């Protein structure tokens, strides 16, 4: 994992906005704006809440596709609580690993790669 970053330099997107980008439901300008923000050193993190939404899906191909797209959009940056409980941070962590850990905690055991 990489060093923690300041959360202020992050743009947090609702899962529906990620879906809009993934399914090309919105103007391509949205993706361009996010790339411009990234060029200005903003991160676009995913969260455990996004992964939780994926856990509700029973179609493994859909989940695998979304996780792969999520990796590209977010550059694998995740927003999560600091380990010491002092607030939130961003960290680089592959969403498929978060998905598998959360799935295991639920009692499921199918792996997504």
């Amino acid at each position: 994992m990489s060093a923690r970053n300041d959360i202020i330099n992050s743009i947090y997107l609702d899962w529906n906005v990620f879906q809009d980008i993934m399914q090309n439901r919105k103007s391509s300008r949205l993706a361009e704006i996010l790339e411009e923000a990234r060029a200005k050193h903003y991160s676009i993190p995913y969260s455990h809440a996004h992964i939780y939404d994926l856990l509700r899906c029973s179609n493994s191909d859909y989940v695998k596709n979304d996780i792969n797209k999520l990796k590209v959009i977010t550059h694998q940056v995740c927003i999560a609580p600091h380990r010491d409980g002092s607030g939130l941070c961003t960290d680089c962590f592959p969403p498929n690993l978060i998905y598998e850990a959360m799935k295991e905690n639920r009692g499921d055991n199918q792996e997504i790669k």
Side-chain angles (χ1 to χ4, degrees), residues 4-5 14 30 37 50 73 84 93 96 99 101:
R4 295 178 188 170
N5 299 318
D14 179 82
L30 176 57
H50 296 133
I73 295 168
D84 64 8
F93 209 84
N96 58 308
Y99 178 88

Side-chain angles (χ1 to χ4, degrees), residues 22-102:
M22 292 174 187
Q23 296 177 24
N24 296 316
R25 293 190 299 221
K26 296 289 181 181
S27 164
S28 62
R29 183 71 181 124
L30 176 57
E32 291 171 16
I33 290 168
L34 293 174
E35 282 304 315
E36 289 170 7
R38 195 183 325 277
K40 294 177 181 175
H41 307 288
Y42 282 82
S43 63
I44 301 157
Y46 70 94
S47 71
H48 290 198
H50 296 133
I51 301 300
Y52 181 76
D53 283 344
L54 283 173
L55 285 169
R56 297 184 307 171
C57 180
S58 60
N59 184 328
S60 62
D61 289 334
Y62 178 81
V63 171
K64 182 178 179 179
N65 187 44
D66 271 11
I67 287 175
N68 287 331
K69 289 179 179 178
L70 195 61
K71 285 180 184 180
V72 172
I73 295 168
T74 65
H75 292 198
Q76 302 190 94
V77 175
C78 181
I79 187 170
H82 278 286
R83 292 177 196 245
D84 64 8
S86 65
L88 297 173
C89 67
T90 57
D91 207 347
C92 189
F93 209 84
N96 58 308
L97 295 181
I98 300 290
Y99 178 88
E100 293 302 332
M102 289 176 70

